[in-house]
């Protein structure tokens, strides 16, 4: 149940801050608001009220709140920030960089924001306005804050808050119209010390002289938000295992918590269809995309609005959910980048999908990367999360979720999911996993072999890959292409590059077929697909003519695979804005076509005497 919006009138703070233009990689833009650099100033006539004061009385997981506010000095730059939890505390933000900042500190960051004149054009003259915002259940109360002076000087008002009660979690489930049972759930959480943030120091060279004096080098400090202003109590993550399901049967379930006083709290009732047995022949439909993120349904601003395509993608999947069996979101899940509240925003957005069909993920740079934590890349794209959020909030069948590679079977499909934020090159632990995953597929029963990863380990015409001259993630396909060829991987699919692109069947930079839309018999090479247009800001293509690239689209979209049987597969690329198909091809073959030898796919043969 959504709890407490009990309002408390408070002081107004002037906050010195800046907000720069954002993009989808690197530092989280809201971290550039120096909320902790505050000056206290009281405006007695400033006011903000919210109604209703208590949310979720009917069990809703989301609800609209109306805000009414007034300011004695209104401006067109004034905006409303939404915070949760509501207890703003200086104790969570004690700068350890040696700076001599003076209190008070306002150590938190907005979940989202909207301008005060958004739905009240007369606010600038009258100093009064109202606004409707949609809130989700974030297991805590909310603060609504009126900032004035734009993004450089702001005024603020907020509400009070309270904590979370503990309970025993379980799932009550069973076949539709049949008997139901209860399965207990395991519970995980993490604390601020689980994050990999803190202060990151690195050298900045002021000139390129080979003989640098000590004064020529400066230490630049960057504070990752995951352990500081981005931290938020994540609550508790519960996982229950439903066993011995009948393939393709419809089940209903609801989530329960038994409180310590003996009462129960229940969710609404959901339903799902159990997965087909591995190798089972039936129509099986798979959706794949990367880099979606989330956005605000009420039009509020967040992250400088670079994930605006995500709502269209989510909408299209929900509308077509009856024709989808499983979803793979291959990295860059929600772009929280160290602001933990954004994970709740994301899971609320995809709940209609993830509560009905399996929602599988891969690890991306914005989930995992942080210097000195064992990630293959030394950047700070995760904002200090270093994989903790993704690994805890999403269960995948990995042997070790800190090493986020795994395989999963769905009917006639075998999926091998790599973790590009760990080393994949020949001789590594992950390379051995990838080969075993590909080699162990029973192609007579699971003919459709799909390789998934976040970064482009295959082929891409993105500008930055072209500038490197590699048209791939550096060292991407050099070790893996012989595995794809040997084990006849049908399709390799990636995110990271925010657009859509499809190659010819290809091996060692050479197209093995000139056909573009209907492949029969032996494929002779792997088709590589970039499907990173889930919702984050789009990436440009190079003007260089890449002859192996058969289709490019600078737009938001997703891929759908439909296996009709063991011999026929349909590939479709759909745009998020209308759900229509803009690129497609078919594969038709028999089992003997998979067994057939191609270049580097069979060992040398000898005749026995």
């Amino acid at each position: 149940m959504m709890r407490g919006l009990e309002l408390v009138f408070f002081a107004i703070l002037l906050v010195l801050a800046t907000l720069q233009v954002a993009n989808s990689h690197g530092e989280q833009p809201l971290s550039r608001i120096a909320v902790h650099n505050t000056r206290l100033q009281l405006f007695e006539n400033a006011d903000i009220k919210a109604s209703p004061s208590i949310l979720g009385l009917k069990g809703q997981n989301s609800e609209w709140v109306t805000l009414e506010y007034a300011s004695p000095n209104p401006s067109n730059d004034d905006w409303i920030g939404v915070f949760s939890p509501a207890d703003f505390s200086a104790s969570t933000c004690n700068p350890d960089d040696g700076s001599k900042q003076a209190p008070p500190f306002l150590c938190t960051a907005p979940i989202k924001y909207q301008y005060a004149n958004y739905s009240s054009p007369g606010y600038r003259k009258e100093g009064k306005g109202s606004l409707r915002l949609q809130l989700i259940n974030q297991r805590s109360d909310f603060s609504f804050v009126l900032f004035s002076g734009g993004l450089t000087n702001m005024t603020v008002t907020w509400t009070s808050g309270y904590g979370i009660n503990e309970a025993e979690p379980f799932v009550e489930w069973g076949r539709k119209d049949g008997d139901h049972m209860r399965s207990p759930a395991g519970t995980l959480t993490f604390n601020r010390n689980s994050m990999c943030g803190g202060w990151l120091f690195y050298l900045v060279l002021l000139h390129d002289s080979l003989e640098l004096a000590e004064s020529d080098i400066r230490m630049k400090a960057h504070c990752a938000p995951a352990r500081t202003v981005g931290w938020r109590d994540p609550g508790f993550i519960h996982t229950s295992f439903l066993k011995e399901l009948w393939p393709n049967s419809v089940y209903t379930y609801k989530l329960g918590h038994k409180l310590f006083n003996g009462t129960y709290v229940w969710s609404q009732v959901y339903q799902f269809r159990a997965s087909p047995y591995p190798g089972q022949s039936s129509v099986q439909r798979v959706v794949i995309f990367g880099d979606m993120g989330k956005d605000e349904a009420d039009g509020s601003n967040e992250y400088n609005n670079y994930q605006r395509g995500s709502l269209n993608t989510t909408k299209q999947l929900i509308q077509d959910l009856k024709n989808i069996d499983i979803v793979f979101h291959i990295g860059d899940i929600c772009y929280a980048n160290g602001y933990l509240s954004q994970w709740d925003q994301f899971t609320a957005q995809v709940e209609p999908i993830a509560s009905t069909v399996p929602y599988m993920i891969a690890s991306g740079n914005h989930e995992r990367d942080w210097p000195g934590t064992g990630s293959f890349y030394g950047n700070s794209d995760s904002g200090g999360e270093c994989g903790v959020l993704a690994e805890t909030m999403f269960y995948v069948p990995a042997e070790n979720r800190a090493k986020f590679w795994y395989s999963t079977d769905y009917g006639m499909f075998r999926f091998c999911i790599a973790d590009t934020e760990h080393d994949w090159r020949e001789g590594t632990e992950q390379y051995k996993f990838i080969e075993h995953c590909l080699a162990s597929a029973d192609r007579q029963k699971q003919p459709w072999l799909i390789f998934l990863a976040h970064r482009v380990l295959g082929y891409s015409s993105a500008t930055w890959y072209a500038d490197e001259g590699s048209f791939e993630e550096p060292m991407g396909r050099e070790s893996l292409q012989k595995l794809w060829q040997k084990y006849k991987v049908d399709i390799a699919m990636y995110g990271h590059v925010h657009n859509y692109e499809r190659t010819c069947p290809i091996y060692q930079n050479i197209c093995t077929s000139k056909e573009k839309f209907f492949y029969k018999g032996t494929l002779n090479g792997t088709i590589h697909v970039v499907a990173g247009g889930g919702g984050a800001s789009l990436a440009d293509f190079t003007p260089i003519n890449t002859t192996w690239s058969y289709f490019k689209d600078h737009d938001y979209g997703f891929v759908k695979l439909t296996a009709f049987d063991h011999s026929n597969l349909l590939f479709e690329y759909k745009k998020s804005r209308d759900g229509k198909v803009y690129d497609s091809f078919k594969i038709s073959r028999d089992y003997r076509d998979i067994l057939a030898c191609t270049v580097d796919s069979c060992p040398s043969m000898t005749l026995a005497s």
Side-chain angles (χ1 to χ4, degrees), residues 238-274:
H238 311 287
T239 302
S240 181
F241 297 90
L242 312 185
K243 300 180 179 180
E244 299 180 356
L245 301 176
W246 287 97
N248 287 79
S249 295
V250 176
Y251 288 82
T252 61
Y253 69 99
K254 60 180 178 179
L255 315 177
H257 288 267
K258 182 179 179 181
L259 305 181
F260 290 154
N261 62 9
T263 61
Y264 288 84
V265 177
W266 295 99
S267 73
Q268 68 183 76
V269 177
Y270 303 93
Q271 76 173 35
F272 69 93
R273 182 179 297 275

Side-chain angles (χ1 to χ4, degrees), residues 372-478:
T373 63
S375 57
F376 194 46
Y377 299 86
N379 58 51
S380 56
D381 289 351
S382 77
E385 292 180 16
C386 56
V388 173
L389 272 294
E391 295 160 13
T392 307
M393 298 188 71
F394 284 84
Y395 181 86
V396 298
E399 183 176 341
N400 180 348
R401 278 191 281 175
K403 300 172 181 177
F404 217 83
W405 54 77
Y406 64 97
S407 65
T408 190
D409 298 321
Y410 191 89
M412 296 175 287
F413 288 96
R414 159 63 66 88
F415 296 96
C416 298
I417 298 91
D419 179 356
T420 57
E421 310 317 300
H422 285 86
D423 196 347
W424 61 83
R425 293 172 296 177
E426 190 168 3
T428 62
E429 182 182 2
Q430 182 170 195
Y431 180 90
K432 295 174 183 177
F433 155 78
I434 293 171
E435 180 164 25
H436 180 265
C437 182
L438 300 176
S440 60
D442 183 348
R443 301 301 290 277
Q444 193 274 328
K445 297 181 176 63
Q446 294 177 298
W448 310 116
L449 184 55
I450 312 297
F451 178 84
L452 301 176
H454 177 64
R455 294 177 186 262
V456 181
L457 303 183
Y459 297 81
S460 168
S461 299
T463 52
W464 65 84
Y465 287 147
D467 292 341
E468 294 172 349
S470 62
F471 297 101
E472 59 161 341
E473 196 67 28
M475 304 176 289
R477 60 178 176 264
E478 279 65 25

